[in-house]
């Protein structure tokens, strides 16, 4: 059996973690800081647990330069849970804003306010989705399930410009954005399809007066790998299991103007009158923020691992995320360069301007039998200690997930294997 040092794991998630972080976590799991108890055994209500959460929040804010007017939440239910959480919370925020406007317009007559809100929900409530891959499609479908398709606007669908397949991002000028949408959602990096937004979309940028679209982004698979303009977003969420840590925790970075006292969530009674869904309390940003991520039992062990990854990143890169970005770009350049040098053997799935640095997707076309070619590629790669390269079951092919924990040497080893395979 191979040892850990002999394997470079390119799996899409759960992903590779730094060995020294795992070793430290293993010790903490048995006895945390000489307490005689493992970290998973300590109460999530303890001062010890609160300190782990607060340190992780502070280190994340430091690494990404998160402004003070944002709250960092540790949640559960993964990215799929956030598909629902964003709907519940952002629709609630929209209702609160409309309610505040209605109070100014018709006074504090509850019946008149409710009547006006019912008309606005029926005619104005929209959530916009930019569908550029499998995960944004799932988010869009979840919004339709929760709200009804009449309230969900498919602002763009990348399949319409790419022969019904994902692999490109439509021009911003073609996006059909709603007026005053409760949110505009997009997935910054599509793990399955290897599509990454090259930068923040210009059309979604905040205006000079501070107004503009309410932008929500899923960054589950490229967070911590490049600098992002946090101030342009109202919500950024990501599962820990790609670049941050192990499965079990999800992070939401939420602008505080979506939280009390500026924007308290509407009452369940009002939402029922409006015919809108009431979300589970464990998905309420307001509730999680109020309780410092400890409304219910949080996996402190998983937060601890995330915190140790952040401490390692901060210790490694004096320029924080910019340093990691340079390495991430270099690794992607090495792998893509090897693939591009042999177009007779490898077919890249994604159009060049939108190729993900994190999830490099390609097909092997060495002979007339792609299935056999890809099976041979995977078997030979495994023999070289290169594992986790099989593409997602929904699309097939090969996928190298080039997350932060993949060392530069790992990317070089894969590139060398790619060239060797092509030469056989």
């Amino acid at each position: 059996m191979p040892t850990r040092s002999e394997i470079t794991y390119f799996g899409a998630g759960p992903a590779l973690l730094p060995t020294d972080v795992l070793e430290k976590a293993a010790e903490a799991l048995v006895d945390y800081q000489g307490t005689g108890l493992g970290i998973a055994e300590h109460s999530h209500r303890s001062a010890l647990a609160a300190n782990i959460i607060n340190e992780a929040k502070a280190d994340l804010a430091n690494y990404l330069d998160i402004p003070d007017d944002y709250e960092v939440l540790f949640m559960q239910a993964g990215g799929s849970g956030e598909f629902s959480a964003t709907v519940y919370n952002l629709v609630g925020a929209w209702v609160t804003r409309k309610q505040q406007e209605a109070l100014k317009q018709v006074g504090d007559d509850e019946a008149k306010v409710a009547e006006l809100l019912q008309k606005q929900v029926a005619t104005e409530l929209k959530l916009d989705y930019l569908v550029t891959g499998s995960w944004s499609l799932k988010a869009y479908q979840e919004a339709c399930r929760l709200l009804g398709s009449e309230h969900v606007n498919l602002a763009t669908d990348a399949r319409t410009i790419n022969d019904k397949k994902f692999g490109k991002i439509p021009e911003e000028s073609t996006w059909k954005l709603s007026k005053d949408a409760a949110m505009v959602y997009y997935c910054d990096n599509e793990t399955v399809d290897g599509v990454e937004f090259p930068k923040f979309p210009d059309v979604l940028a905040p205006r000079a007066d501070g107004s503009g679209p309410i932008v929500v982004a899923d960054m589950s698979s490229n967070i911590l790998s490049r600098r992002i303009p946090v101030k342009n977003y109202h919500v950024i969420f990501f599962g820990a299991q790609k670049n941050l840590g192990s499965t079990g925790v999800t992070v939401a970075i939420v602008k505080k103007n979506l939280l009390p006292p500026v924007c308290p969530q509407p009452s369940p009674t009002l939402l029922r009158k409006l015919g809108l869904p009431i979300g589970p309390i464990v998905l309420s940003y307001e509730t999680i923020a109020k309780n410092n991520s400890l409304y219910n039992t949080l996996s402190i062990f998983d937060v601890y691992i995330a915190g140790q990854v952040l401490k390692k990143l901060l210790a490694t890169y004096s320029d924080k995320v910019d340093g990691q970005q340079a390495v991430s770009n270099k690794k992607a350049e090495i792998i893509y360069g090897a693939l591009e040098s042999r177009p007779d053997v490898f077919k890249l799935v994604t159009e060049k301007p939108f190729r993900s640095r994190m999830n490099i997707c390609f097909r092997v076309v060495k002979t007339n039998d792609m299935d056999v070619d890809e099976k041979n590629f995977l078997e030979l790669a495994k023999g070289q200690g290169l594992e986790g390269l099989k593409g997602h079951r929904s699309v097939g092919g090969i996928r190298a997930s080039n997350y932060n924990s993949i060392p530069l040497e790992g990317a070089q080893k894969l590139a060398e294997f790619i060239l060797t395979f092509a030469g056989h």
Side-chain angles (χ1 to χ4, degrees):
M1 296 293 288
T3 64
R4 182 177 180 84
S5 63
E6 295 173 324
I7 292 175
T8 306
Y9 183 64
F10 291 93
L16 186 71
L17 283 164
T19 298
D20 55 348
V21 168
L22 287 177
E23 289 172 343
K24 188 172 182 179
E27 293 177 3
L29 195 55
V30 176
D31 185 349
Y32 184 65
Q33 295 186 347
T35 60
L37 288 175
I39 192 170
E41 297 165 313
H42 280 278
S43 169
H44 64 296
R45 303 289 184 196
S46 66
L48 177 151
N51 185 58
I52 290 171
I53 292 172
N54 292 335
E55 280 193 19
K57 287 168 64 173
D59 287 342
L60 179 63
N62 182 15
Y63 182 77
L64 289 179
D65 290 324
I66 300 173
D68 291 339
D69 58 339
Y70 285 79
E71 184 69 52
V72 174
L73 310 176
F74 287 101
M75 302 180 67
Q76 297 168 61
S80 295
E82 289 300 312
F83 296 163
S84 302
T86 51
V87 171
Y88 294 132
N89 286 280
L90 275 297
V91 167
W94 183 90
V95 170
T96 294
R97 289 194 299 275
K98 296 299 181 181
Q99 183 184 29
Q100 292 168 347
E101 294 170 5
L103 287 168
K104 293 177 183 179
Q105 184 176 341
V106 301
D108 58 1
D109 186 317
E110 289 187 10
K112 289 183 179 180
V113 169
E115 183 181 358
L116 179 56
L117 287 176
Q118 286 172 336
K119 291 179 180 178
Q120 290 176 317
V121 167
T123 59
E124 300 176 22
L125 176 59
K126 291 289 183 182
L127 277 67
D128 285 359
Y129 283 79
L130 310 177
V131 174
T132 57
S134 299
W135 289 111
S136 51
L137 177 60
K138 287 180 182 293
Y140 166 76
Q141 291 169 336
E142 176 67 354
C144 291
R145 188 182 73 86
L146 293 175
L147 277 185
S149 57
E150 67 273 19
H151 293 301
V152 185
N153 174 41
L154 183 57
T156 193
D157 184 344
R159 295 170 296 181
T160 61
I161 63 165
N162 195 41
D163 193 28
K164 298 182 180 180
K165 297 179 181 178
F166 294 119
K168 299 179 181 180
I169 298 176
E171 290 286 341
E172 292 181 23
S173 60
T174 68
W175 298 356
K176 298 177 181 178
L177 299 171
S178 304
K179 181 182 178 181
D180 192 30
M183 72 174 185
V184 181
Y185 166 95
Y186 74 97
C187 182
D188 203 44
N189 184 84
E190 292 281 2
T191 315
V192 172
D193 306 283
V195 175
E196 184 174 27
F197 278 77
K199 62 182 181 65
F200 184 85
D202 293 334
V203 72
L204 301 183
R207 305 182 186 102
D209 63 359
S211 63
I214 295 172
V215 183
V216 173
D218 177 354
M219 296 188 181
S220 290
S221 50
N222 66 347
I223 195 67
L224 310 186
S225 73
R226 68 176 181 181
R227 181 164 292 279
I228 53 176
V230 178
K231 61 182 177 58
N232 288 0
Y233 299 91
H234 283 71
V235 178
I236 298 168
F237 69 81
F238 46 95
Q241 69 274 12
K242 314 286 189 180
N243 281 322
L244 180 60
S246 54
T247 56
V249 291
T250 309
V251 180
I253 302 171
V254 181
K255 195 162 188 176
K256 289 180 180 178
N257 67 5
L258 292 175
L259 303 170
V262 178
C263 189
Q265 283 286 299
S267 69
T269 300
L270 177 58
L271 290 174
R272 288 190 190 95
K273 285 182 180 179
L274 300 178
L276 294 172
I278 301 167
I281 199 165
V282 293
L283 296 183
S284 165
Y285 294 152
E286 178 179 315
T287 300
I288 302 302
K290 181 180 178 181
N291 290 275
N292 192 30
S293 300
L294 291 172
Y295 175 77
N296 59 330
T297 307
L298 182 68
S299 175
I300 300 301
F301 179 60
D302 292 319
V303 178
Y304 173 77
I305 291 177
Q308 293 305 307
V309 169
L310 287 165
K311 289 185 185 301
K312 181 179 177 66
L313 287 169
L314 288 166
T316 302
Y317 302 110
S318 59
D319 51 354
K320 300 185 290 191
V321 70
D322 296 320
Q324 178 64 68
Q325 178 171 326
V327 174
S328 297
N329 291 351
K330 181 63 176 176
K331 291 189 298 175
E333 179 185 320
I334 289 170
I335 299 170
Y336 276 120
L339 293 167
E340 288 175 326
S341 73
R342 293 301 304 269
D344 56 319
V345 178
F346 304 106
K347 179 184 177 183
L348 285 156
V349 172
T350 310
E351 192 169 288
K352 192 164 188 175
F354 313 112
R355 286 176 187 166
S356 169
R357 299 162 306 121
M358 296 289 101
N359 306 103
I360 299 168
C361 299
F362 59 95
R363 306 307 301 253
V364 184
V365 290
K366 192 172 184 179
T367 69
N368 292 326
D369 193 331
M370 188 164 60
D371 289 340
V372 171
D373 289 340
E374 291 178 347
K375 182 178 180 181
N376 288 339
F377 182 92
L378 291 170
E379 287 179 354
L380 291 171
K382 186 178 179 67
Q384 297 298 312
L386 302 168
E387 299 200 14
L389 289 165
K390 188 174 182 179
H392 192 272
R393 63 185 181 279
S394 65
V395 295
I398 310 296
R399 174 177 56 176
S401 292
N402 182 37
Y403 298 136
N404 288 353
S405 291
I406 298 292
L408 184 61
E409 295 76 16
Q412 291 169 333
K413 185 177 179 181
L414 176 59
E416 290 167 5
F417 170 73
I418 286 169
L419 295 176
T420 301
F421 179 88
H424 281 174

